[in-house]
Amino acid sequence: MEPPPDTVLAAFELSGEAVLLPGGQGETWRVGGVVLKPVGFVAEAVWRAEVLAGLPEGLGFRVARPVRARSGAWVVDGWEAGELLAGATDVGRPDDVLRAGAAFHETLAALPRPAFLDVRDNPWTYGDRVAWAEQPAGGSPAYQELVGALFEARRPIASTAQVVHGDLLGNVMFADGLSPAIIDWPVYWRPPAWAAAVAVVDALCWYDARPELAARWAHLPEWGQMLVRALIYRITTDDAARGPAVWTAAHRDAYQTAIDVALGYTR
């Protein structure tokens, strides 16, 4: 990924060397105390910036305040900017991540559903819609075999949807003496328990979390159904984004462990 061009730096009134930051899919750059990254979907980036800019302080979490360009725009030539926050992500602290996510979601609970969700289209939105039976599933034979028991276990739910963060586990930063920081917010309209379930599923599949993690959060509403939908979402997205080659034995086994845990909460 090329660094932000000089025209973008000038638009945000920045000067100095652009330094590539770890994470962020190799696309996030720091210039002084500002972080710049390419925008995936402009309507989402603008909506998100307006929300984050308006949040008060002292909510039990931090956010990176967006930086406006000199023109007043939040996005310039496909780039957005935000303040650099102290801290680092830690996937080994899933309970702390989930607590930070809960505070974040409580703060956002009254926001209306964003209109851009009706037109955003990528492998992640496809996986989300399949998980919630809003779109039929296709996919490779290996995918169909892996996900079949989850579809069979899926039942209607009564939980209320709201704006949530759909990828919490690797996007909460910790620093000594500071509240956790929520970063890189992909916006979804789902129950908060689903967002927690996605983080738990990720921890179980990829970061050596034990089934006791799921048990500690089983008080959340309709927990088994949230885990089922979180897994359908992740598995469907994997198949859509990476194709049949993703289904190595190790990749299937990682999901199967979490599937077994999830199904235990649906019986």
Side-chain angles (χ1 to χ4, degrees), residues 161-179:
Q162 66 160 82
V163 168
V164 297
H165 190 305
D167 192 19
L168 281 168
L169 187 61
N171 289 308
V172 176
M173 293 173 36
F174 301 96
D176 290 343
L178 296 173
S179 299

Side-chain angles (χ1 to χ4, degrees), residues 121-212:
D121 188 24
N122 57 48
W124 289 265
T125 59
Y126 166 68
D128 171 61
R129 290 168 185 149
V130 168
W132 291 87
E134 297 171 356
Q135 187 169 339
S140 65
Y143 159 79
Q144 296 285 356
E145 181 180 353
L146 185 63
V147 85
L150 295 168
F151 284 129
E152 292 178 6
R154 187 173 58 187
R155 299 289 183 269
I157 64 158
S159 296
T160 301
Q162 66 160 82
V163 168
V164 297
H165 190 305
D167 192 19
L168 281 168
L169 187 61
N171 289 308
V172 176
M173 293 173 36
F174 301 96
D176 290 343
L178 296 173
S179 299
I182 312 288
I183 62 170
D184 293 348
W185 175 18
V187 181
Y188 289 84
W189 184 257
R190 299 300 178 199
W194 172 82
V198 173
V200 168
V201 162
D202 289 347
L204 291 172
C205 289
W206 315 119
Y207 299 109
D208 299 321
R210 303 295 303 162
E212 289 77 14

Side-chain angles (χ1 to χ4, degrees), residues 2-232:
E2 294 294 322
D6 291 342
T7 53
V8 169
L9 299 186
F12 286 105
E13 301 183 281
L14 300 172
S15 61
E17 180 185 4
V19 178
L20 184 64
L21 294 174
Q25 299 181 335
E27 299 179 329
T28 304
W29 301 79
R30 176 181 62 80
V31 180
V34 173
V35 174
L36 296 114
K37 59 183 179 180
V39 168
F41 189 56
V42 172
E44 180 177 14
V46 170
W47 181 93
R48 183 173 54 226
E50 293 286 354
V51 171
L52 294 177
L55 290 180
E57 301 286 351
L59 297 171
F61 59 87
R62 294 174 291 147
V63 296
R65 302 291 175 175
V67 174
R68 286 189 187 272
R70 183 172 49 223
S71 66
W74 293 119
V75 177
V76 175
D77 295 340
W79 289 83
E80 63 182 335
E83 66 176 334
L84 179 68
L85 296 176
T89 60
D90 187 347
V91 296
R93 298 175 61 175
D95 293 287
D96 292 331
V97 167
L98 289 168
R99 281 187 281 269
F104 185 63
H105 293 146
E106 183 177 356
T107 299
L108 305 175
L111 290 176
R113 185 180 185 275
F116 69 79
L117 293 176
D118 293 329
V119 294
R120 189 179 63 180
D121 188 24
N122 57 48
W124 289 265
T125 59
Y126 166 68
D128 171 61
R129 290 168 185 149
V130 168
W132 291 87
E134 297 171 356
Q135 187 169 339
S140 65
Y143 159 79
Q144 296 285 356
E145 181 180 353
L146 185 63
V147 85
L150 295 168
F151 284 129
E152 292 178 6
R154 187 173 58 187
R155 299 289 183 269
I157 64 158
S159 296
T160 301
Q162 66 160 82
V163 168
V164 297
H165 190 305
D167 192 19
L168 281 168
L169 187 61
N171 289 308
V172 176
M173 293 173 36
F174 301 96
D176 290 343
L178 296 173
S179 299
I182 312 288
I183 62 170
D184 293 348
W185 175 18
V187 181
Y188 289 84
W189 184 257
R190 299 300 178 199
W194 172 82
V198 173
V200 168
V201 162
D202 289 347
L204 291 172
C205 289
W206 315 119
Y207 299 109
D208 299 321
R210 303 295 303 162
E212 289 77 14
L213 173 64
R216 288 196 295 275
W217 293 88
H219 60 280
L220 294 179
E222 301 179 290
W223 186 231
Q225 290 300 315
M226 297 304 164
L227 290 169
V228 163
R229 284 162 171 78
L231 278 160
I232 296 173

